[in-house]
Amino acid sequence: RLGAKGCEFMKDYSQSGEQKIILEHFGSFVGTFASIGENDGQTFSNVRALTLLGWKGVCVEPAEIAYSKLKLLYSDLLLVPMPPDFNGTVDEFFDTITKNALVNKSSRVVCVNAAITTEDGPIDFYDSGTHLNKGDTSLLSTTKPDELDRWKKSGEVFTKTTVRGITWKTMMEESGCSKFDFISVDCEGADWDVVSQIDLTAVGCKMICLEVNSKYGHLFRFKEYTESHNMRLLYAGYENRIYVSK
């Protein structure tokens, strides 16, 4: 695997240089992460570099196309042999062993096809198309209708659909993970709904990256909540804030 000293030569997958801050903070430490709203696993990812350095973790993504790319990126489960007596196609077999979540405890990355919501059950989802025109998809997708107003002038197109919603607690139960050294939350307006469910102390969080998009209501809530878990602000950008344990 890549050594900590080689991190500066790694491709930056993050949106605005957050990756450098994350890697420098953890150094040679190898831990466990949770990324909520991971998209395709590479575009604007705060955890892709960590996986390349040997970290394990959970990636959660509700958008269908983005999730299919994410699942393919971490598709080591395809190495599981299909039984000779399985009556179905390869795709059907893959769907069978990966239903809802890629729950393979031997896999370093567990992928969950869902949105983290305040209760379990279907939820309306507004899926966006390309935003960067670089083969990307669903970067602006959200469960919050008021988020659509932010993109009206730029002509972004959203398609209303329904996705599976699960709580943070359900996600931990399905993935089999309950400790996270690093957490990334990028949920286009639903970030507080996610963060407010996480006991940052109980899960052992050492660093959390939260999307804010300079929403002052979120900034105050995040500051107050992280401070209550003995964390301090390390980085403040337009899109994200990074907090670390004191």
Side-chain angles (χ1 to χ4, degrees):
R1 75 179 183 85
L2 294 175
K5 291 184 178 179
C7 291
E8 64 268 26
F9 302 110
M10 187 184 295
K11 174 183 175 180
D12 186 358
Y13 294 94
S14 62
Q15 184 171 6
S16 301
E18 293 87 355
Q19 176 176 300
K20 183 175 185 292
I21 297 167
I22 295 165
L23 297 185
E24 286 183 349
H25 179 77
F26 284 109
S28 60
F29 175 79
V30 177
T32 303
F33 67 81
S35 180
I36 313 303
E38 175 59 11
N39 197 258
D40 62 11
Q42 298 190 87
T43 307
F44 293 166
S45 175
N46 293 321
V47 301
R48 178 57 175 163
L50 295 178
T51 68
L52 296 176
L53 290 169
W55 282 55
K56 63 181 180 179
V58 182
C59 293
V60 180
E61 174 55 45
E64 183 178 354
I65 296 176
Y67 177 75
S68 67
K69 293 181 178 181
L70 176 66
K71 184 169 69 171
L72 182 61
L73 183 66
Y74 296 114
S75 59
D76 56 326
L77 284 181
L78 286 172
L79 299 177
V80 176
M82 186 169 73
D85 59 348
F86 182 80
N87 187 23
T89 66
V90 172
D91 285 342
E92 288 170 341
F93 173 68
F94 187 80
D95 287 340
T96 298
I97 63 174
T98 63
K99 188 176 182 181
N100 295 331
L102 298 183
V103 185
N104 174 14
K105 299 305 186 295
S106 65
S107 177
R108 285 196 299 109
V109 179
V110 176
C111 300
V112 180
N113 189 199
I116 300 298
T117 49
T118 54
E119 59 184 32
D120 294 335
I123 187 171
D124 288 342
F125 185 68
Y126 303 88
D127 200 352
S128 66
T130 182
H131 176 56
L132 305 175
N133 293 312
K134 295 180 179 180
D136 59 285
T137 183
S138 305
L139 288 173
L140 308 178
S141 299
T142 181
T143 58
K144 299 293 185 180
D146 58 346
E147 277 289 299
L148 308 185
D149 295 336
R150 295 202 306 136
W151 303 106
K152 280 184 177 179
K153 291 183 179 179
S154 59
E156 301 287 349
V157 177
F158 292 83
T159 302
K160 184 178 179 180
T161 184
T162 302
V163 298
R164 178 174 177 253
I166 59 174
T167 63
W168 172 267
K169 180 175 180 290
T170 298
M171 182 278 290
M172 289 198 297
E173 291 172 349
E174 290 191 0
S175 67
C177 298
S178 59
K179 295 292 184 180
F180 302 100
D181 300 289
F182 174 68
I183 299 173
S184 176
V185 181
D186 186 349
C187 296
E188 305 303 322
D191 309 274
W192 175 247
D193 289 350
V194 175
V195 177
S196 60
Q197 299 181 56
I198 308 173
D199 185 331
L200 298 173
T201 303
V203 302
C205 183
K206 298 178 177 66
M207 171 184 275
I208 186 168
C209 182
L210 304 172
E211 183 182 56
V212 294
N213 289 328
S214 291
K215 291 186 175 181
Y216 295 107
H218 280 189
L219 291 174
F220 176 76
R221 284 176 170 177
F222 291 154
K223 179 178 183 295
E224 187 176 58
Y225 194 67
T226 53
E227 286 181 349
S228 73
H229 288 278
N230 201 33
M231 302 185 82
R232 64 177 176 83
L233 179 67
L234 177 66
Y235 164 81
Y238 179 81
E239 296 94 0
N240 298 300
R241 293 288 190 275
I242 296 179
Y243 301 87
V244 295
S245 54
K246 294 180 179 178

